[in-house]
Amino acid sequence: MRVGHGSAELPVPDGTPMGGYIDRPGPSTGLADPLSVSAVTWSDGGSRFALAIADVICVNEDLAGRARRAAGCELWLAASHTHAGPETGCVPGGGPTPEPWLDRITEAVRTAVRRAIEAERPCEGMAYRGELHEVGADRSRPGAPAVVPLDLIAVRDGGLAGLLVVLPVHPTVLPAANRLVSADLVGAVRASLRRRLGEDVWVAVATGAAGDISTRHTRRGQDAAELRRLGELVADRCAELLAGPGTPLWQAAPTGIASAGATGISGAASTGIASAGPTGISGAATTGISWATRRLTLEPAATTADEAALLAGYERAAASGDPVATRLARSRLEGLRARTAPPVPTGVDVNVARLGGLALAGLPGEPFLAVAERVADRPGEPTVVLGYVNGYPGYLPTAAAYRRAEYEVLASQVAPGSAELIAETARTLLEEL
């Protein structure tokens, strides 16, 4: 297998509307740390697959489609979900990506993928998984265990060449009052790992299924110092996992690479990538890379929540002086107000891929962590699950979560059972591959 990595900056001018928080006091006023698009490509000599991660709040389907066409190969576009970047049309149920970001992000993806392809070389792959403590926890349940899974895909060409980190934690350390552009927790983890691993090792950080997981109950502040502290905690844990045993995923291929066109990006004609057949499966399973996509229609959510009652609950919590109760009560109210009306069915794509011995699932929107764990519960085969991929239906809570009047449930556009349908579809597609 040949693997490459490339990146491209994503500049954000001062005065840009920012995404993520309803009560942001105004547009961006400066830069805390730069945003970027990171791309990792895999080639087996016949097929090529690319994963691009953009430091934006969400990726809508129009952007995902345009970016795939620009890349010239099979591409998943994932959002890091930073709440300190530009607003890219992040509304429950999905919507159009506003200009100029439809063009700017597409061009950054094109550049990052081209650079990754140019950097491809024979590499081995190893998977590592372990528990990460005191960084993320269930944000709607104070006192819940602060333990989440951490997945690493290490790329080696003798020594460590690169590292893909999948972190299922909302990158929301910086507060709504912040108006400085930042990749937030994802950027802090990248920076900490680069300091630790050295500039010769590339680092890409993707957000996993973080719909119900954040730093709300683990962070000690909401500033640059706290970002560095949490970034170092993740980097420390990555170093511990890399020092232990991993699971081999693929071997380096000394020869054979798909021919490239004039732009250096391989297309379907030159790589031999098959178009999707009746089952929705494309790629060449016999050569080590394959992928599949299946379209689902999710039924709309129905809610009986009373806005007046939620408002009264928020006012009582605020009067009590309890900051945690006030924050949770306010989030429930904001969740109800975030929903679109009237609710309509939501179309989503469920994506899976096999890269050598690695099973990869790319889920749309914000799936709860338990949804991803259902997909990843496949003994004998390393399975890594990403969130925020190729579309934004909003929150995807578990069916059990609908019994609780939490922000994520009140903001969700989809009916109970939708997340479980997505998980089972991903498992089925992986088995079909």
Side-chain angles (χ1 to χ4, degrees):
M1 190 86 73
R2 295 177 67 95
V3 185
H5 172 266
S7 64
E9 289 192 7
L10 193 61
V12 181
D14 291 355
T16 295
M18 300 176 71
Y21 291 114
I22 296 174
D23 54 349
R24 178 105 48 197
S28 65
T29 58
L31 181 67
D33 56 274
L35 306 189
S36 65
V37 173
S38 296
V40 185
T41 58
W42 289 261
S43 174
D44 61 9
S47 299
R48 177 173 282 123
F49 175 85
L51 170 65
I53 307 158
D55 287 331
V56 294
I57 182 71
C58 75
V59 169
N60 284 313
E61 290 189 347
D62 59 349
L63 174 58
R66 184 178 290 191
R68 182 184 295 110
R69 291 189 294 273
C73 63
E74 176 60 16
L75 169 81
W76 292 1
L77 180 56
S80 71
H81 201 51
T82 176
H83 284 41
E87 173 54 58
T88 56
C90 189
V91 296
T97 303
E99 292 294 357
W101 298 107
L102 188 60
D103 290 334
R104 289 181 181 175
I105 297 169
T106 297
E107 188 56 36
V109 170
R110 187 201 309 270
T111 299
V113 171
R114 174 178 55 80
R115 290 171 176 171
I117 293 172
E118 292 171 349
E120 285 178 357
R121 60 182 186 264
C123 293
E124 297 178 346
M126 296 285 290
Y128 301 83
R129 172 171 254 234
E131 292 183 340
L132 175 66
H133 293 254
E134 302 304 324
V135 174
D138 190 324
R139 62 183 187 172
S140 296
R141 299 170 62 194
V147 182
V148 297
L150 180 65
D151 284 298
L152 309 179
I153 305 301
V155 176
R156 301 183 183 276
D157 60 352
L160 184 64
L163 184 66
L164 171 62
V165 179
V166 180
L167 178 64
V169 180
H170 254 72
T172 50
V173 176
L174 298 175
N178 169 65
R179 295 170 65 185
L180 297 178
V181 170
S182 170
D184 206 284
L185 181 61
V186 168
V189 171
R190 282 199 304 252
S192 293
L193 283 169
R194 285 169 181 159
R195 287 192 295 269
R196 181 181 295 269
L197 300 176
E199 293 300 320
D200 291 337
V201 178
W202 58 260
V203 176
V205 181
T207 302
D212 55 341
I213 306 296
S214 79
T215 64
R216 178 176 292 172
H217 305 302
T218 57
R219 63 193 179 216
R220 300 173 185 174
Q222 292 190 271
D223 55 16
E226 180 62 5
L227 278 173
R228 185 178 178 107
R229 186 186 75 84
L230 292 172
E232 288 295 325
L233 283 179
V234 177
D236 288 345
R237 185 60 177 134
C238 288
E240 292 173 354
L241 291 175
L242 291 172
T247 302
L249 299 175
W250 63 79
Q251 296 296 315
T255 60
I257 183 170
S259 60
T263 63
I265 298 178
S266 301
S270 60
T271 61
I273 297 175
S275 59
T279 63
I281 297 175
S282 56
T286 57
T287 57
I289 297 177
S290 59
W291 58 84
T293 297
R294 185 158 292 165
R295 186 74 172 175
L296 300 178
T297 299
L298 306 180
E299 292 303 313
T303 181
T304 57
D306 184 334
E307 183 172 346
L310 291 175
L311 177 59
Y314 167 66
E315 291 172 343
R316 287 194 300 271
S320 73
D322 183 335
V324 174
T326 301
R327 185 166 58 242
L328 292 175
R330 180 180 179 180
S331 73
R332 294 184 187 107
L333 181 62
E334 289 177 345
L336 183 63
R337 290 174 173 174
R339 295 185 61 176
T340 59
V344 295
T346 301
V348 299
D349 285 337
V350 179
N351 301 279
V352 301
R354 286 185 182 275
L355 308 172
L358 172 66
L360 193 65
L363 306 187
E366 306 194 48
F368 275 26
L369 181 57
V371 178
E373 293 300 273
R374 171 59 179 156
V375 178
D377 184 18
R378 305 177 66 253
E381 182 176 50
T383 304
V384 175
V385 182
L386 310 180
Y388 309 92
V389 173
N390 288 356
Y392 188 75
Y395 287 103
L396 297 171
T398 60
Y402 282 82
R403 296 194 291 267
R404 306 188 295 269
E406 297 171 351
Y407 167 78
E408 298 85 1
V409 170
L410 294 171
S412 177
Q413 293 291 109
V414 299
S418 297
E420 285 76 9
L421 174 61
I422 287 173
E424 289 308 310
T425 300
R427 288 174 61 89
T428 298
L429 287 175
L430 286 172
E431 292 304 318
E432 290 179 358
L433 283 183

